[in-house]
Amino acid sequence: MSIAPATATALTKHPLEPLTADEIRLASALLKSRRGLTADVRFVMMSLKEPDKERLTDYDPEHHPPREVFVVLRDRRHRRTYEAVVRLDTEEVTLWRDCPGAQTAITEEEFEQCDAAVRADARWQDAMRRRGVTDFSLAMIDAWPTGHTGEHEDRPGQRLSYALTFVRAHPTDNGYARPVENLMALVDLDSLEVLDVMDRGVVPLPPLCGNYDPAERREDGNWPSVVRERTDLKPIDITQPEGPSFTVDGYAVRWQKWRLRLGFTVREGLVLHQLGYEDKGRVRSVVHRASLAEMYTPYGDPGFTHYHKNAFDEGEYGAGFMVNALELGCDCLGEIHYFDAVVHDQDGLPVTLPHAICMHEEDMNIAWKHTDFRTGRVVTRRQRRLVISSFAVLGNYQYGYFWYLYLDGTIGFEVKLTGMISTGAFTGPCPPYGTAVAPGLYGPHHQHFFSMRLDMAVDGPRNSVYEVDSVPLPVDEHNPHANAWRTEPRLLASESQAQQRLAQAATGRFWNIVNPDRRNGLGEPVGYKLVPSSGLLPMQPRGSQAWHRARFCYGHLWVTAHDPTQMYAAGDYPNQHPGDAGLPEYVRADRPTADADIVLWHTFGEHHVVRPEDWPAMPVVSTGFTLRPNGFFDGNPALDLPAPDSCRADSCHDHLPDDRTPKGTEHHDHHTD
């Protein structure tokens, strides 16, 4: 029996385009029908099962590879996790696999149900009354993963969450200003039973509100005190009278010499596919697939309400579900193109997230410039970049993911962190593990780690990686003045050599990804270099929970042989997992990584020692990395940029002022004694 009148191949243009609403609806209907699923089986994650790289390389638009949907499900009644693959054109379930012990990400449905279960619990209500709270509708409950500390070994197979409580002063108040310290509930997310309510003693609620929205700020009772909005900030208008320089066909983007495809998954969010640069009439590949493979936030506070906080925001929640609808004038300026994202609910029905991805151009000041001081001739060209961005709301924090493509072949990625810190309440001195941000309110110190998965394809599928350090040379007959230094490349020839490599600012370390089979005009292998901007490492020592569960954070670079089943830095199911999954498991085989199809995993982060200025809405801080061409071109690929309109009258060939004679052209009289 056919479930839907149309097959999936008729609904999409390219095999890498994200799932459509019709495809999600068809896949869930097929699973429910073919497997006889009951309402207890919930759809946790549905994503495109991407075709093999070989099929994409030889892609023929007349012969589409089959559209397949990978599905993760949770059977709450039987406490089982399943994986399935649905082939849409033949309407077959081609894979149904039990995953013993695997705990899936916490869903939005479970988040809401956890809130309701805790709010209805008599033990929790008594604890709230002890704190003077009787209107439970003003409580705000967040479901946190439990991590894996060994405390719940007596509950094997149970799907657990810690519930933390905050209190609003009124229904639209900022609840994070009043955390309920020392109170935590343990909830079984399958049965929705509150297993335990743990109260380690009353700490008074902080006395003041922390509202940032002008509509909510009161004349008194708010920290910081009410300020008047500025009235002297003049408008800035970004206009492109002839429209943007990019073109869009579905999810395919062309901008200047860049070619790429956009993707989107419920776990990773924004994905870039088949990123290449047109050079001398040929599109040369750089990255096959780029995605954020995990986010990890360990907190440094041993307090009862905080010690367990170490969230994997992708594997334990799913960043793609939580994206904002971006708005012109707020999130993006200029000539904007928006892409919607289609996700799903736990019934397997599609949900469209409008304006999930924003794309626009930005002027970026100077691309290159030179002044010939002898002639006074000045040549200037301006830089521009294509910005592709998305914002995810992950609890109290908001993360902006920004890809930048530059005219000179540079690729940048940046995470913008904002939103609101996780808070705690105190009396007396502020705990030394955080910073006071308002009377009786503090923010625990913590760290943010991001793992970027870069499936490299520098001018072809087979690449090698060199770790490059700059080293001073010894003073000898070749370096008598002690000024010499050179770069020393080290081939990372296997996974054992290419794991947990550390950034070293003192030696200017970078990692050079080359194609040994392609040479530039100077006879050298073509390449791109990964330039780190963060050398952050976790504060937790070897043997800690962070060490076991988030080992990827303890190295800034890992290189693995390509395997389409190895997608996530902390493994497929980090929720409640004891650890050593993901990258530590991937590299055990010690596969060769020289002249091979390889994947780079780059870890970078932000060390957050909380400041009073982070409250109540945290100013943006950024972290990221850069990929720069390094012998990929024969020279500066931006030499062909036109002069800006404002200086085309003289082709940007300005001259020095008349009263400044260029050095080297003035007349000198020479005298001798």
Side-chain angles (χ1 to χ4, degrees):
M1 180 183 70
S2 178
I3 301 296
T7 59
T9 52
L11 304 176
T12 55
K13 292 184 178 181
H14 188 274
L16 285 174
E17 290 203 359
L19 293 176
T20 66
D22 287 338
E23 289 175 324
I24 290 172
R25 191 178 291 109
L26 174 58
S28 62
L30 286 167
L31 274 173
K32 291 173 183 177
S33 172
R34 302 293 191 262
R35 298 297 308 183
L37 302 184
T38 67
D40 293 312
V41 180
R42 313 306 290 157
F43 288 77
V44 179
M45 289 188 176
M46 304 177 70
S47 57
L48 174 69
K49 186 178 185 295
E50 296 170 13
D52 294 339
K53 292 172 72 171
E54 294 76 14
R55 299 199 68 171
L56 291 169
T57 301
D58 301 325
Y59 171 61
D60 179 359
E62 298 299 320
H63 299 90
H64 282 272
R67 291 283 282 186
E68 295 180 301
V69 183
F70 177 74
V71 187
V72 176
L73 306 105
R74 181 66 182 178
D75 184 340
R76 300 173 82 171
R77 172 183 284 185
H78 299 100
R79 299 183 180 276
R80 310 290 291 188
T81 294
Y82 296 99
E83 294 177 347
V85 173
V86 181
R87 178 167 170 168
L88 298 180
D89 59 341
T90 59
E91 300 186 351
E92 295 177 278
V93 178
T94 59
L95 172 71
W96 180 266
R97 177 167 57 204
D98 187 6
C99 302
Q103 295 293 346
T104 63
I106 298 173
T107 65
E108 185 176 0
E109 175 183 71
E110 290 172 326
F111 202 91
E112 295 172 355
Q113 291 171 338
C114 177
D115 181 300
V118 172
R119 198 187 303 273
D121 187 89
R123 295 164 294 177
W124 175 87
Q125 292 178 358
D126 288 342
M128 295 298 286
R129 291 188 187 98
R130 287 194 289 272
R131 290 161 171 82
V133 178
T134 56
D135 185 350
F136 303 138
S137 70
L138 295 176
M140 192 172 77
I141 298 166
D142 286 358
W144 279 75
T146 59
H148 193 281
T149 60
E151 295 172 276
H152 303 301
E153 298 297 328
D154 59 336
R155 300 181 184 275
Q158 285 188 287
R159 184 167 168 75
L160 304 175
S161 174
Y162 284 133
L164 302 185
T165 304
F166 306 83
V167 180
R168 294 182 167 107
H170 52 84
T172 56
D173 186 37
N174 172 20
Y176 293 114
R178 292 186 177 87
V180 179
E181 195 72 18
N182 285 343
L183 179 64
M184 195 159 57
L186 181 65
V187 181
D188 184 326
L189 293 178
D190 279 331
S191 66
L192 297 178
E193 178 187 359
V194 180
L195 302 172
D196 196 5
V197 175
M198 298 157 281
D199 189 349
R200 296 293 179 87
V202 174
V203 175
L205 296 176
L208 300 177
C209 295
N211 290 307
Y212 50 91
D213 187 339
E216 299 298 334
R217 290 200 296 255
R218 305 291 194 259
E219 289 298 325
D220 54 10
N222 200 78
W223 190 277
S225 58
V226 175
V227 296
R228 295 184 181 276
E229 287 194 354
R230 305 181 192 192
T231 59
D232 57 350
L233 199 61
K234 305 302 182 185
I236 294 179
D237 292 325
I238 309 297
T239 61
Q240 292 181 273
E242 299 179 19
S245 301
F246 55 75
T247 60
V248 178
D249 180 11
Y251 289 85
V253 176
R254 298 167 63 98
W255 178 74
Q256 290 297 291
K257 298 184 178 183
W258 286 106
R259 308 290 182 266
L260 69 150
R261 292 185 177 277
L262 302 188
F264 192 91
T265 75
V266 293
R267 179 163 176 162
E268 303 158 299
L270 175 61
V271 178
L272 300 190
H273 295 286
Q274 298 181 323
L275 181 60
Y277 192 96
E278 185 177 339
D279 180 39
K280 300 177 182 177
R282 180 172 69 92
V283 177
R284 303 172 63 193
S285 63
V286 180
V287 183
H288 175 71
R289 189 183 193 274
S291 63
L292 194 59
E294 192 53 88
M295 303 161 57
Y296 179 61
T297 309
Y299 281 74
D301 188 338
F304 174 70
T305 324
H306 308 286
Y307 75 90
H308 67 278
K309 292 181 179 177
N310 66 129
F312 295 87
D313 285 309
E314 288 195 4
E316 292 180 329
Y317 290 109
F321 286 112
M322 309 298 181
V323 295
N324 263 148
L326 304 177
E327 296 184 25
L328 180 63
C330 296
D331 303 286
C332 313
L333 294 177
E335 293 287 333
I336 307 300
H337 186 93
Y338 294 105
F339 299 85
D340 295 343
V342 182
V343 298
H344 61 90
D345 63 16
Q346 276 61 73
D347 291 316
L349 299 178
V351 177
T352 298
L353 305 177
H355 293 188
I357 301 170
C358 168
M359 186 171 70
H360 67 286
E361 295 174 275
E362 286 182 349
D363 179 271
M364 280 301 294
N365 206 286
I366 304 301
W368 54 266
K369 180 184 182 78
H370 184 68
T371 301
D372 187 330
F373 67 87
R374 291 178 174 83
T375 65
R377 191 171 180 81
V378 182
V379 182
T380 304
R381 295 295 183 267
R382 292 197 67 79
Q383 180 63 278
R384 192 182 296 190
R385 69 184 182 187
L386 184 69
V387 182
I388 305 167
S389 63
S390 182
F391 248 99
V393 181
L394 293 164
N396 48 292
Y397 260 101
Q398 274 87 74
Y399 298 91
Y401 311 116
F402 284 71
W403 283 102
Y404 303 122
L405 304 181
Y406 294 84
L407 297 169
D408 62 0
T410 298
I411 303 166
F413 180 78
E414 186 177 52
V415 180
K416 298 180 186 290
L417 298 87
T418 184
M420 196 165 297
I421 57 173
S422 185
T423 54
F426 71 95
T427 57
C430 178
Y433 318 105
T435 300
V437 296
L441 183 72
Y442 78 106
H445 301 322
H446 55 283
Q447 296 175 295
H448 302 265
F449 292 96
F450 307 91
S451 175
M452 181 61 65
R453 183 182 185 274
L454 298 167
D455 187 347
M456 300 302 297
V458 176
D459 223 4
R462 302 184 69 83
N463 292 170
S464 300
V465 181
Y466 289 83
E467 185 170 84
V468 183
D469 289 311
S470 297
V471 296
L473 299 183
V475 178
D476 56 19
E477 67 273 17
H478 303 293
N479 183 29
H481 305 293
N483 69 313
W485 59 274
R486 69 185 181 194
T487 59
E488 288 189 353
R490 175 177 180 258
L491 176 65
L492 304 179
S494 69
E495 291 177 330
S496 62
Q497 296 177 18
Q499 62 173 290
Q500 294 181 226
R501 307 306 303 172
L502 301 180
Q504 300 286 356
T507 63
R509 176 173 289 178
F510 63 89
W511 293 283
N512 202 31
I513 308 103
V514 304
N515 186 327
D517 298 323
R518 298 275 189 178
R519 303 281 164 164
N520 58 28
L522 299 172
E524 297 295 326
V526 299
Y528 258 76
K529 67 178 184 177
L530 192 160
V531 183
S533 65
S534 167
L536 186 66
L537 289 172
M539 300 299 291
Q540 291 79 6
R542 179 187 291 264
S544 64
Q545 179 181 189
W547 167 262
H548 286 294
R549 303 185 70 232
R551 186 80 55 79
F552 70 88
C553 298
Y554 290 80
H556 301 125
L557 184 85
W558 305 62
V559 183
T560 62
H562 175 263
D563 183 334
T565 67
Q566 297 175 349
M567 297 295 293
Y568 309 115
D572 293 344
Y573 299 102
N575 191 13
Q576 296 180 230
H577 197 283
D580 301 322
L583 280 169
E585 184 178 18
Y586 301 161
V587 301
R588 273 188 208 127
D590 196 18
R591 297 164 292 188
T593 55
D595 192 14
D597 187 358
I598 55 175
V599 176
L600 270 67
W601 308 73
H602 176 46
T603 303
F604 54 98
E606 173 65 24
H607 189 74
H608 195 169
V609 176
V610 174
R611 311 170 298 152
E613 291 86 351
D614 290 331
W615 183 257
M618 189 180 95
V620 166
V621 294
S622 301
T623 184
F625 66 92
T626 306
L627 283 167
R628 294 179 185 153
N630 191 28
F632 190 79
F633 303 104
D634 292 341
N636 182 353
L639 284 178
D640 58 355
L641 292 179
D645 289 339
S646 59
C647 57
R648 276 186 178 167
D650 57 5
S651 298
C652 266
H653 299 157
D654 300 330
H655 294 272
L656 296 175
D658 293 339
D659 60 350
R660 287 183 57 201
T661 305
K663 294 180 181 179
T665 62
E666 64 270 56
H667 176 73
H668 293 276
D669 291 327
H670 298 280
H671 301 276
T672 57
D673 293 332

